[in-house]
Amino acid sequence: MNMFWLLVVIFCYCLFIGTGAGVRVSTRRSVVNVGAILSFNSSIGKVAKVAIEAAVEDVNSNPALLKGTKLKLAMQDTKLSSGFLGIVEALRFMENDTVAIIGPQQSVMAHVISHIANELQVPLLSFAASDPTLNSLQFPYFVRTTHSDLFQMSAIAEIVSYYEWRDVIAIYIDDDHGRNGIAALGDKLAEKRCKISYKAPMSPNVSRNEISDTLLKVLLKESRVIILHIYATWGLEVIDVAQKMEMMKSGYVWIATDWLSTILDTESSLPPVAWDSIQGVLTLRMHTPDSELKRKFVSRWSNLTGGLFGLNTYGLYAYDTVWLLAQALDAFLNQGGNISFSNDPRLTEFHGGNLHFDSLSIFDGGNMLLSSILEVNISGISGPIKFTSDGNLIGTAYEVINVIGTAGIRGIGYWSNSSGLSTVLPEKQINRSYSNEQLYGVIWPGQTTEKPRGWAFSSNGRQLRVGVPVRVSFREFASLVYGSDVFHGYCIDVFNAALALLPYALPYKFIPFGDGHKVPIYTDLLHMITTNEFDAVVGDITITTNRTKMVDFTQPFIESGLVVVAPVQKLNSSAWAFLRPFTPMMWFVTGLFFLAVGVVIWILERRTNDDFQGPPRKQFATIIWFSFSTLFTAHREKIDSALGRLVLLIWLFVVLILNSSYTASLTSILTVEQLSYSVKGIESLIISDDPIGYQRGSFTENYLIEELNIHKSRLVPLNSAEEYEKALHDGPNNGGVAAVVDKRAYMELFLSSRCEFGIVGQEFTKMGWGFAFPRESPLAIDMSTAILKLSENGELQKIHDKWLSRKACSTEGAKQDVDRLPLKSFWGLFLLCGSACFVALLLYLIKMVYQYMRHSSQSSQSAPIRSSFLSFVKEKEKESKDVPKMQEPEKSGATRKRRKRVSSGRFCEDESVNVSNVGVYIGHET
């Protein structure tokens, strides 16, 4: 039985060896084939070639790495980014049992070769292909050993936002590298509320004529911030053409991606013409932290190249790519990985062809090697080498460079993915703080240090088309001079004054909108901006929420909310005018407090003060007299108690305030003309059913319907001030309106010559007028700044006084009830007085309870006299105190005289009484 199982084990082992299935035994080869695809004559390729060769030599001379296995490098030149040659070279590598390919250099080629790498499971390590889309799941065997353009575009977007520009123009090569890079830029700009206003693509095989045509289109655009995302081969050519077209002068901003820094680092000397053309340009360079490894490699560079060209950052990443692959291979072999290849059965149908596709083999350990590559964590000459979960290198950072002087560049700061813009080295930054974002000063094109505005009015010769509503009424704001195309008015003068403050010339032309017979629909006028029929709209345009969704407005140059205008009638003084200063509720509460204070004083004083004692009728009359005599401080009663004096003091203060307020209000009523309105304000209009007038074409109709829920059938459109006047005179019963709702600026002009009407209530909206421009137009910002300057220097007020200052009747009318003093104006005084009364009564009650308890305890000792609490309170205070004293036996022989009250209320002298013969003397009345 044991022999049987032994034979089975031997048979399975032989089967395992024969088929190659199961776990393979790790065997280290003496040589491992590695390919590299470069463009030897490019700025990146020639540096990378030297760096890769040096790295392979360093790896093979390191006995601790790969433990005897050597890297055999095979390089192929793709002849300046020829995609076809790159594909052919990749296929040739696959015929030679290559375990990995370093490259390709271009993103376009990486897209194609990545499909081959996926099929044959050969990792593709590119140190220069920066297209962000190569990180997608579509290309699992593509490993980027440099930084993605996604981060470079993030840095550019943050620079644009830092300098407060909003629109940029993107010039790029129309291939995978250019399109995808600019798409990433658009996304990052959108996060900063910026945008690419114009894209200018060029063909991969661009000519100088095509460059000129592209830049001519850019020249006609408004934005002056240009992002140049192009290959180093054509970059300087584009800038040279731009300089000849005067696009490198003051006012322009050129931001080049890292192709320019690569040229400046690589080429030992550039022609003076090239240096002159790139003055003031901003560019980016991948930041690599300083280290001992980097310094040693930089010191070796001149020996490696013979001083023919410099070292750029792509050379550093190319060098680290070889070390990355060597570390991954070492880990792969240590984990039992076997370098073996097998034929792809799907390629057998091409057997016998001249292309020899059937000779391509699959790397069996490709997936395992890929995992080892992504798990590498080492320090290279470019910095830490470690991949994130999405396949990007950690520690992404760029240096921001300003090209200035002859053969000179100056770093103005850094950008890192973790801390944004800063003048501090990324490795020394702690955390991100937007408030601390800063860059050093820049010398811009044209040798100026002043930050460019970032845009200019297009130089295509077309004037700014400005739409102006042709008003039927209130022509003081904007009106067309009869028989001409000239406009004048308040809004026109403000617009011209603001234009005069702009730091540039702005040709424009006013275009009338409307037939002159009825007020035009302002919403339709603004909509013509969105359809590119107008470039701006000038006039009495109210800024509303819905309108800001269509266009951008400037800073308001006048405030003009909605008001209600209604007919007014003068009120003559009547016999009862003296009652008008206070509202009925105010009169009622005031009288109530007069009585209440009198009752409180009576309660506090009646036990100790003879003036508040006597028959009930007399005490009631005393309360009434005392209460109202305080109005004139004519009360003759003396207040003895401290609580009573406190209450009276506070009440006299209240009376003083009431008296002063009443006198002032009555004086105003009898001396100032009063007006009466049939409408109290917008609230009374809402709850009534009367018709309401409004200006045709304005936003007032929508506001009344949508915001105030007034039915449309109640609204009457009116075109002119004459129609306003007639409708108000006719009234709601004769086909007119009860009131007109319109903007204050109109109504002040309307009322300046019509004193029979007036503004009722308060302005119930807070709005303003502004000039309209297309969405995100930089001209709106500049005009807003100019309007603020007009306001600060007083020029805006002068224009207002020129057109709108009138002797307005609207200021005469005191609104109904404005002089009547309501209860809410004095509730604090009444609360103070009421509180004082309550506290005084509470303290008085506590005092009475205490005295009563003391009186009861003393009376219980002698027992004969007992009284209730109420009867105790009614007693005069001296009598209640005398009883317990008289109940104590006096010394024998002592006599005392007492005053005895008789029935008439007077006092008489009693005979002397010998207390020794009397046990107890009862001295109170029965």
Side-chain angles (χ1 to χ4, degrees):
M1 193 66 178
N2 293 334
M3 182 61 68
F4 171 80
W5 287 112
L6 178 61
L7 292 175
V8 170
V9 171
I10 294 174
F11 174 79
C12 293
Y13 178 77
C14 294
L15 182 64
F16 166 75
I17 295 299
T19 60
V23 179
R24 299 182 178 182
V25 179
S26 175
T27 57
R28 285 184 177 267
R29 291 191 177 188
S30 59
V31 175
V32 175
N33 294 326
V34 176
I37 302 176
L38 308 173
S39 296
F40 292 169
N41 293 329
S42 65
S43 297
I44 295 176
K46 63 185 179 182
V47 173
K49 180 177 181 296
V50 176
I52 291 173
E53 290 174 343
V56 170
E57 181 181 352
D58 292 344
V59 168
N60 289 337
S61 62
N62 188 343
L65 192 62
L66 293 178
K67 300 177 178 60
T69 301
K70 303 295 183 181
L71 297 180
K72 183 180 180 181
L73 178 66
M75 284 191 177
Q76 298 294 340
D77 185 8
T78 58
K79 307 297 183 183
L80 290 176
S81 70
S82 173
F84 175 74
L85 290 180
I87 297 171
V88 172
E89 297 302 336
L91 292 175
R92 290 177 60 183
F93 285 139
M94 302 308 176
E95 295 178 353
N96 300 323
D97 294 344
T98 301
V99 298
I101 298 176
I102 299 175
Q105 183 178 319
Q106 289 81 23
S107 297
V108 175
M109 197 180 303
H111 275 275
V112 179
I113 299 178
S114 290
H115 290 285
I116 301 175
N118 291 347
E119 185 68 24
L120 302 180
Q121 300 181 15
V122 176
L124 199 63
L125 290 80
S126 178
F127 58 88
S130 53
D131 178 3
T133 62
L134 287 170
N135 279 77
S136 65
L137 299 176
Q138 183 184 7
F139 308 118
Y141 282 86
F142 176 84
V143 180
R144 192 198 321 272
T145 58
T146 186
H147 295 304
S148 168
D149 274 344
L150 179 67
F151 302 106
Q152 183 172 204
M153 298 307 171
S154 297
I156 292 176
E158 200 143 342
I159 292 173
V160 171
S161 176
Y162 174 78
Y163 287 111
E164 298 178 342
W165 299 314
R166 289 294 173 261
D167 294 348
V168 302
I169 293 176
I171 302 176
Y172 60 98
I173 295 297
D174 193 13
D175 60 8
D176 291 333
H177 171 71
R179 284 192 304 271
N180 296 331
I182 295 302
L185 175 62
D187 293 340
K188 294 301 179 180
L189 285 173
E191 294 177 4
K192 303 292 183 180
R193 302 186 67 181
C194 307
K195 67 183 179 69
I196 301 175
S197 60
Y198 180 71
K199 294 181 180 180
M202 295 186 295
S203 64
N205 297 318
V206 63
S207 64
R208 191 174 181 89
N209 289 336
E210 184 181 354
I211 294 174
S212 299
D213 294 341
T214 301
L215 291 180
L216 181 60
K217 296 176 183 178
V218 172
L219 181 64
L220 299 179
K221 303 302 177 182
E222 292 184 355
S223 177
R224 289 296 181 261
V225 181
I226 301 172
I227 311 300
L228 189 57
H229 184 51
I230 200 170
Y231 295 115
T233 308
W234 297 105
L236 294 179
E237 185 81 8
V238 172
I239 293 182
D240 181 64
V241 175
Q243 186 186 38
K244 288 180 171 55
M245 296 177 65
E246 297 186 349
M247 296 176 67
M248 300 299 296
K249 62 182 181 180
S250 178
Y252 280 87
V253 177
W254 285 81
I255 302 177
T257 51
D258 60 359
W259 64 265
L260 180 56
S261 63
T262 300
I263 291 178
L264 298 178
D265 290 337
T266 305
E267 306 303 329
S268 57
S269 62
L270 288 177
V273 175
W275 275 109
D276 291 341
S277 63
I278 60 176
Q279 292 298 302
V281 176
L282 296 183
T283 185
L284 299 177
R285 175 200 286 153
M286 286 182 287
H287 173 70
T288 55
D290 189 28
S291 65
E292 184 65 25
L293 290 175
K294 179 181 177 180
R295 288 193 294 270
K296 288 181 178 180
F297 185 74
V298 170
S299 64
R300 291 173 54 194
W301 186 253
S302 59
N303 295 330
L304 294 173
T305 60
L308 296 177
F309 47 84
L311 174 64
N312 56 49
T313 53
Y314 287 103
L316 302 179
Y317 284 104
Y319 181 89
D320 282 344
T321 301
V322 176
W323 277 90
L324 167 67
L325 178 59
Q327 293 283 351
L329 276 171
D330 189 50
F332 168 78
L333 296 174
N334 291 335
Q335 294 170 7
N338 188 33
I339 300 177
S340 62
F341 296 84
S342 59
N343 294 329
D344 190 344
R346 289 170 293 182
L347 297 177
T348 56
E349 59 183 279
F350 299 102
H351 179 70
N354 293 329
L355 295 178
H356 302 288
F357 283 117
D358 56 333
S359 63
L360 300 178
S361 56
I362 298 174
F363 178 28
D364 297 326
N367 190 40
M368 185 176 177
L369 178 59
L370 176 64
S371 299
S372 298
I373 291 173
L374 297 177
E375 292 173 359
V376 169
N377 183 5
I378 60 174
S379 294
I381 60 175
S382 63
I385 301 176
K386 183 180 179 181
F387 293 97
T388 62
S389 58
D390 54 359
N392 290 309
L393 287 177
I394 64 171
T396 307
Y398 286 87
E399 184 179 0
V400 185
I401 297 173
N402 182 206
V403 182
I404 56 174
T406 303
I409 58 176
R410 183 172 70 96
I412 61 172
Y414 302 91
W415 177 90
S416 69
N417 192 37
S418 59
S419 55
L421 293 173
S422 176
T423 55
V424 181
L425 287 170
E427 54 267 26
K428 294 183 179 179
Q429 297 174 14
I430 300 175
N431 50 30
R432 187 184 188 105
S433 175
Y434 290 97
S435 60
N436 294 330
E437 287 190 346
Q438 58 179 337
L439 295 173
Y440 291 122
V442 178
I443 297 180
W444 304 99
Q447 299 297 310
T448 178
T449 58
E450 182 180 357
K451 186 196 78 173
R453 186 173 60 252
W455 78 281
F457 194 71
S458 59
S459 56
N460 55 7
R462 181 175 63 83
Q463 292 179 316
L464 189 74
R465 299 164 299 174
V466 182
V468 182
V470 179
R471 292 205 54 84
V472 178
S473 60
F474 306 116
R475 297 171 61 84
E476 291 87 349
F477 294 104
S479 61
L480 179 64
V481 178
Y482 182 76
S484 69
D485 57 354
V486 178
F487 281 86
H488 66 231
Y490 171 72
C491 299
I492 303 301
D493 282 3
V494 173
F495 180 76
N496 290 330
L499 285 183
L501 295 179
L502 296 181
Y504 48 87
L506 185 63
Y508 66 94
K509 177 177 66 174
F510 287 134
I511 302 175
F513 178 78
D515 56 10
H517 301 294
K518 61 180 181 180
V519 179
I521 307 299
Y522 282 25
T523 302
D524 296 342
L525 174 59
L526 294 175
H527 187 264
M528 296 179 71
I529 294 180
T530 63
T531 58
N532 201 30
E533 296 179 62
F534 287 143
D535 300 312
V537 168
V538 170
D540 48 337
I541 312 298
T542 303
I543 303 172
T544 65
T545 302
N546 290 334
R547 290 175 178 178
T548 56
K549 298 176 182 178
M550 292 191 297
V551 297
D552 278 354
F553 285 95
T554 62
Q555 172 80 14
F557 55 86
I558 187 174
E559 292 185 359
S560 183
L562 294 178
V563 295
V564 177
V565 172
V568 298
Q569 293 179 346
K570 295 181 180 180
L571 292 178
N572 296 322
S573 181
S574 67
W576 301 98
F578 68 90
L579 294 176
R580 294 191 60 198
F582 289 162
T583 60
M585 178 59 70
M586 181 65 184
W587 279 117
F588 173 75
V589 174
T590 302
L592 186 64
F593 262 81
F594 269 106
L595 294 176
V597 171
V599 172
V600 171
I601 296 296
W602 173 75
I603 292 174
L604 298 176
E605 293 292 321
R606 68 172 299 276
R607 298 188 74 246
T608 60
N609 195 331
D610 294 338
D611 292 336
F612 290 88
Q613 295 178 357
R617 181 180 299 178
K618 177 186 177 184
Q619 295 183 45
F620 179 75
T622 301
I623 291 174
I624 300 299
W625 162 254
F626 180 84
S627 298
F628 290 96
S629 63
T630 56
L631 180 62
F632 312 101
T633 62
H635 55 282
R636 64 175 182 269
E637 292 79 9
K638 181 181 179 182
I639 306 301
D640 294 334
S641 66
L643 293 177
R645 291 175 181 175
L646 174 64
V647 171
L648 182 60
L649 178 64
I650 295 176
W651 173 243
L652 290 177
F653 174 74
V654 174
V655 169
L656 175 64
I657 300 299
L658 293 177
N659 195 10
S660 302
S661 301
Y662 175 86
T663 303
S665 181
L666 183 61
T667 302
S668 174
I669 290 173
L670 297 178
T671 58
V672 178
E673 183 180 47
Q674 300 296 299
L675 303 179
S676 174
Y677 296 82
S678 57
V679 176
K680 306 300 186 224
I682 188 63
E683 293 81 6
S684 63
L685 275 181
I686 294 174
I687 62 178
S688 71
D689 294 326
D690 294 333
I692 304 171
Y694 70 95
Q695 184 178 175
R696 185 191 301 272
S698 69
F699 80 100
T700 308
E701 179 184 12
N702 290 335
Y703 182 85
L704 294 176
I705 295 174
E706 297 175 3
E707 300 296 332
L708 302 183
N709 297 320
I710 297 176
H711 198 274
K712 188 175 182 179
S713 60
R714 294 178 54 196
L715 303 181
V716 180
L718 304 171
N719 283 311
S720 64
E722 290 73 20
E723 292 187 13
Y724 282 13
E725 184 177 9
K726 183 179 184 302
L728 289 171
H729 274 309
D730 292 343
N733 297 326
N734 297 315
V737 297
V740 171
V741 177
D742 208 342
K743 293 179 274 294
R744 175 177 285 275
Y746 298 144
M747 292 298 93
E748 288 180 348
L749 279 177
F750 174 76
L751 297 174
S752 63
S753 58
R754 298 171 177 86
C755 297
E756 66 270 28
F757 309 110
I759 295 176
V760 183
Q762 300 296 322
E763 186 175 349
F764 57 92
T765 62
K766 294 295 182 181
M767 297 180 179
W769 295 353
F771 304 132
F773 294 91
R775 292 294 301 271
E776 301 181 359
S777 170
L779 186 56
I781 300 175
D782 287 357
M783 288 292 288
S784 295
T785 304
I787 291 172
L788 289 175
K789 290 181 181 178
L790 289 175
S791 178
E792 292 171 356
N793 61 24
E795 188 65 26
L796 193 61
Q797 185 62 42
K798 292 179 182 179
I799 299 174
H800 180 276
D801 296 341
K802 172 185 175 182
W803 290 98
L804 305 181
S805 289
R806 300 289 188 273
K807 293 181 179 179
C809 296
S810 60
T811 59
E812 294 182 3
K815 312 303 183 288
Q816 187 176 15
D817 291 339
V818 74
D819 289 318
R820 305 197 73 179
L821 300 175
L823 177 62
K824 64 180 181 180
S825 299
F826 300 95
W827 71 269
L829 288 173
F830 286 124
L831 177 62
L832 176 63
C833 183
S835 300
C837 293
F838 175 76
V839 171
L841 289 175
L842 181 62
L843 294 176
Y844 180 75
L845 178 61
I846 295 173
K847 175 184 176 183
M848 288 297 99
V849 171
Y850 172 76
Q851 290 183 355
Y852 174 73
M853 294 177 62
R854 184 178 177 185
H855 170 76
S856 299
S857 62
Q858 292 177 354
S859 298
S860 61
Q861 296 176 2
S862 51
I865 298 178
R866 297 195 178 195
S867 60
S868 66
F869 178 73
L870 291 178
S871 61
F872 174 79
V873 172
K874 293 178 182 179
E875 294 176 355
K876 193 173 180 181
E877 184 172 349
K878 292 181 179 179
E879 296 177 352
S880 63
K881 292 182 178 179
D882 287 342
V883 172
K885 293 180 180 180
M886 296 303 297
Q887 290 175 347
E888 297 179 1
E890 296 187 8
K891 297 182 180 179
S892 61
T895 61
R896 179 181 295 270
K897 292 183 179 181
R898 282 196 50 88
R899 300 179 65 201
K900 182 177 181 182
R901 180 182 295 219
V902 295
S903 60
S904 63
R906 294 173 297 173
F907 292 90
C908 63
E909 193 78 20
D910 284 347
E911 295 292 335
S912 297
V913 180
N914 192 335
V915 184
S916 60
N917 299 324
V918 181
V920 177
Y921 176 79
I922 301 175
H924 66 280
E925 288 182 5
T926 58

